[in-house]
Amino acid sequence: MVDPVEKLLLKFDEYDLERLVTIDIQRDLEYLAGPKDKERKEWLVQCALATHGTGIFRESAARRSLFLLLPDDQLGIIKKELCGDEAHDKPFDNAMALSRLTWSAGSAVVNLVSDTWEIPLKFLPHQGVDTPTVQNLQPYRPLPPLHPHQEEVRSQVEEMLETKSKKLLVQMPTGSGKTRTMVEALASHWRGGLDRNCLVWLAHSEELCEQAADSISRVWPERADQPVRLVRLFGRHEPRPPEIVGSIVVASLQKAHARVREGGIVAGALKRRAQAVVFDEAHRALAPTYEYVTKFLTANGAPLIGLTATPGRGVDRAHENQELADLFGGNLVVPAGDGDVVDRLEAEGILAKVRRREVETGTEVYPEQRQLDSVLEGFDYSSAILKTLSKNRERNQLLIKTIKEECSEGRPALVFACSVSHAQVLSAALNLHGISAACIHGDMPPADRYSAIIGFRSGEFDVLTNFGVLSTGFDAPRTRTVIVARPTNSAVLYAQMVGRALRGPKMGGGEEAWVVDIRDNLDRFGAVTSVYHAFERFWQSEEAEERETLGATKGDK
């Protein structure tokens, strides 16, 4: 049975179908998943659907072709009605005018398309998750207790807050429950309420902000004695100054920076009332705009608390690593206990046991001297190098084969590609091979990104390809394999990518996690977990040493 959308696309002009898939992607797909015995038009339709998926009508060219299926007189009437001016003489011009109308949930043009054609709702724009700007948190359900490593960290953080430590950074491996641990510490310390003050939680993406808000909404009502408000300051949310009083404010760094630069009432209220500022993914805190925000919000003495799996900027960037440590007072809080923390958490089932393999591509890339110098100075591989790799068809063919092998073993996979177009090509080729895949990139509307992520979590997709999006703020315990198809000289980025699969059975993940490194002639990292310890030497403040000495003294007694 022909899919209703595929049936519609088969009515499009062949020339218009070619405009939906760039010639480069067409050629790549012909090589990776050739048309075989399909007719040209059928092949183009399948390429278009494989490339754009449910977002195909976000393309104005697709909407224009759709409107051209209407009778000329009906098209003219609709153009006059929706655009508010007279119809053009040529049907093409009327269709073009309609295709330029805003394509968003609830708009008149979307309602028209929905009423006229049998298009499944998933192909039409939809609202994201409708979260309130202000949410009152009341006790409502019990939570499972913290795991021992989480309790260790929670206790350390609360002890430091009680001793008026102004700066500290919490390091916990990805997948071990950093967010909940921090929320538990805050809720325990401010159990009696915030009076007319507030706590501020900062993150660089809306996904991370919503993840924090979800954890706060579950933990705080169970642990605290007094109700508080959860206030969102990210995305479409714009709280009023009175709503900040007695609240936990979760803010995106972009929106927080905008409010601080404006110098308005909201920024003033946050600065005046902040009792603590939490910086999620704190290895980013040295960025000038972000540091500007944290200095403003902590100007009245509020503690600055960082949260990350990788407390550094790069293995070879000693000066920046030291600056980051200094920003948080050299106070690094980690799970206590004997032996290596990563090995211990693996043994306890908190983290999955890592199974790593390398796939040699035979591809050789020789950077120009200036690119090589940049890498040697601690910076990542350039976009030019990544583009060269992304265009290598033999390498991509090996990638498709590798991903199919993982799926055949029943292991849902995340693929980190070399570029946006590379992620799109891989996703499209997989779909043409019968593997359900979706592509996520930063230019997608948030609602579409969310829909693809939910599809992966629910099993609708077995593969998510991406570039520069899913290394942070992504939580899908279903993930069993991470395929690192892009080389990186950044220990931090590598740890973040690999960390997407590290959640163990006690944290809702699997017993084992597979990491597949696509290896060219460029340098790679050693053991997956070695990055966790790469920055320890930068975190030895006098205060931290005093605490260690005091702890040893107490132990002797």
Side-chain angles (χ1 to χ4, degrees):
M1 182 177 178
V2 180
D3 181 272
V5 173
E6 185 176 347
K7 187 175 180 181
L8 274 176
L9 295 182
L10 285 169
K11 297 178 181 179
F12 287 9
D13 185 88
E14 188 171 309
Y15 173 79
D16 290 336
L17 288 171
E18 289 178 337
R19 291 173 65 86
L20 290 173
V21 185
T22 67
I23 189 64
D24 286 344
I25 291 181
Q26 286 183 44
R27 289 169 178 166
D28 286 338
L29 293 179
E30 285 173 4
Y31 183 86
L32 296 171
K36 300 177 182 177
D37 57 351
K38 296 184 180 68
E39 293 185 1
R40 175 67 177 168
K41 195 170 188 179
E42 181 185 358
W43 168 248
L44 286 172
V45 167
Q46 292 187 355
C47 284
L49 284 172
T51 301
H52 299 291
T54 57
I56 190 163
F57 294 113
R58 284 202 309 268
E59 303 298 312
S60 60
R63 299 199 299 276
R64 185 191 63 226
S65 296
L66 190 63
F67 294 130
L68 284 172
L69 298 179
L70 294 169
D72 293 352
D73 56 346
Q74 184 182 355
L75 180 59
I77 293 170
I78 292 172
K79 190 271 176 187
K80 181 178 180 180
E81 179 182 336
L82 295 189
C83 296
D85 53 10
E86 292 298 321
H88 298 293
D89 294 333
K90 297 180 179 179
F92 181 89
D93 294 335
N94 289 326
M96 179 66 79
L98 289 171
S99 71
R100 289 172 175 162
L101 295 175
T102 301
W103 185 251
S104 60
S107 66
V109 69
V110 170
N111 292 337
L112 167 71
V113 168
S114 178
D115 291 340
T116 306
W117 292 282
E118 294 181 2
I119 295 178
L121 290 176
K122 64 182 180 180
F123 285 86
L124 301 175
H126 50 276
Q127 299 285 359
V129 179
D130 188 18
T131 53
T133 299
V134 179
Q135 184 177 347
N136 292 315
L137 302 183
Q138 301 285 348
Y140 58 98
R141 67 179 185 271
L143 284 168
L146 291 176
H147 294 288
H149 75 284
Q150 293 175 306
E151 182 58 38
E152 292 162 6
V153 171
R154 184 209 63 76
S155 178
Q156 290 182 67
V157 171
E158 190 172 4
E159 181 181 343
M160 293 183 73
L161 288 171
E162 289 172 353
T163 58
K164 307 300 182 185
S165 291
K166 294 298 183 184
K167 297 178 179 181
L168 60 117
L169 186 143
V170 173
Q171 181 192 15
M172 294 172 64
T174 300
S176 65
K178 295 189 297 295
T179 303
R180 183 187 167 188
T181 301
M182 179 56 65
V183 175
E184 291 269 5
L186 298 175
S188 179
H189 188 72
W190 279 280
R191 183 183 302 274
L194 292 165
D195 295 324
R196 296 183 60 78
N197 298 311
C198 71
L199 302 176
V200 181
W201 187 294
L202 300 172
H204 72 275
S205 71
E206 290 186 27
E207 286 86 356
L208 274 175
C209 286
E210 195 54 57
Q211 193 176 98
D214 178 65
S215 184
I216 292 166
S217 67
R218 287 184 291 110
V219 171
W220 203 277
E222 181 65 22
R223 299 291 184 250
D225 295 332
Q226 298 294 324
V228 298
R229 279 194 294 264
L230 169 62
V231 175
R232 291 173 171 85
L233 180 58
F234 58 89
R236 65 174 181 82
H237 301 292
E238 294 288 355
R240 296 176 292 112
E243 293 168 337
I244 291 171
V245 176
S247 70
I248 307 166
V249 180
V250 179
S252 68
L253 281 152
Q254 294 82 353
K255 188 152 282 192
H257 181 255
R259 296 297 162 270
V260 170
R261 286 294 299 270
E262 289 169 1
I265 300 175
V266 169
L270 290 173
K271 178 180 179 181
R272 186 169 61 257
R273 300 184 185 281
Q275 294 296 290
V277 176
V278 177
F279 196 122
D280 204 355
E281 300 294 338
H283 54 273
R284 298 172 177 266
L286 289 182
T289 54
Y290 297 171
E291 194 168 5
Y292 176 74
V293 171
T294 56
K295 284 182 177 179
F296 177 88
L297 294 176
T298 59
N300 289 338
L304 176 62
I305 307 171
L307 189 61
T308 185
T310 49
R313 297 286 294 164
V315 173
D316 300 317
R317 299 165 77 169
H319 180 69
E320 291 182 45
N321 293 338
Q322 193 59 61
E323 283 188 331
L324 183 68
D326 292 344
L327 180 63
F328 289 95
N331 295 315
L332 187 65
V333 176
V334 298
D338 297 329
D340 183 271
V341 63
V342 176
D343 292 341
R344 178 160 59 95
L345 295 183
E346 278 191 6
E348 293 174 0
I350 302 298
L351 299 180
K353 293 180 173 62
V354 176
R355 301 288 181 259
R356 184 187 183 197
R357 70 183 177 106
E358 292 185 346
V359 176
E360 297 280 353
T361 68
T363 303
E364 296 187 351
V365 179
Y366 297 98
E368 296 177 6
Q369 188 59 48
R370 59 185 177 82
Q371 296 172 332
L372 186 58
D373 290 343
S374 177
V375 171
L376 293 174
E377 290 172 7
F379 294 95
D380 211 350
Y381 295 109
S382 68
S383 58
I385 293 174
L386 297 180
K387 183 177 180 181
T388 298
L389 291 173
S390 74
K391 294 297 183 182
N392 188 299
R393 290 179 177 173
E394 290 76 16
R395 184 180 189 272
N396 287 339
Q397 195 169 52
L398 180 60
L399 258 173
I400 296 298
K401 176 177 178 290
T402 301
I403 297 168
K404 289 174 67 178
E405 288 172 353
E406 291 301 310
C407 290
S408 69
E409 294 292 334
R411 298 196 284 263
L414 296 183
V415 181
F416 290 91
C418 294
S419 66
V420 170
S421 62
H422 189 219
Q424 291 173 327
V425 166
L426 292 176
S427 174
L430 289 166
N431 280 305
L432 291 171
H433 276 286
I435 303 293
S436 57
C439 171
I440 290 182
H441 54 83
D443 295 332
M444 292 173 66
D448 289 353
R449 285 205 306 269
Y450 179 78
S451 178
I453 289 171
I454 292 300
F456 181 74
R457 287 174 178 164
S458 67
E460 179 184 354
F461 304 118
D462 288 324
V463 180
L464 273 185
T465 67
N466 84 105
F467 175 73
V469 176
L470 296 181
S471 57
T472 60
F474 174 74
D475 185 24
R478 182 171 173 264
T479 307
R480 293 294 178 270
T481 298
V482 167
I483 298 177
V484 184
R486 58 153 297 168
T488 179
N489 191 46
S490 167
V492 173
L493 177 58
Y494 184 76
Q496 288 174 335
M497 291 189 291
V498 169
R500 297 309 104 195
L502 294 187
R503 192 178 292 273
K506 288 187 178 179
M507 303 301 286
E511 292 279 353
E512 296 181 316
W514 279 259
V515 175
V516 182
D517 276 317
I518 305 301
R519 187 173 179 83
D520 310 299
N521 67 323
L522 302 172
D523 288 339
R524 294 288 182 141
F525 295 102
V528 169
T529 55
S530 63
V531 178
Y532 184 80
H533 303 286
F535 307 104
E536 289 175 347
R537 62 191 176 94
F538 299 101
W539 291 85
Q540 286 299 320
S541 67
E542 292 182 5
E543 184 179 347
E545 290 173 355
E546 287 175 6
R547 286 198 308 275
E548 289 180 5
T549 303
L550 181 60
T553 303
K554 289 180 178 178
D556 293 339
K557 292 181 180 179

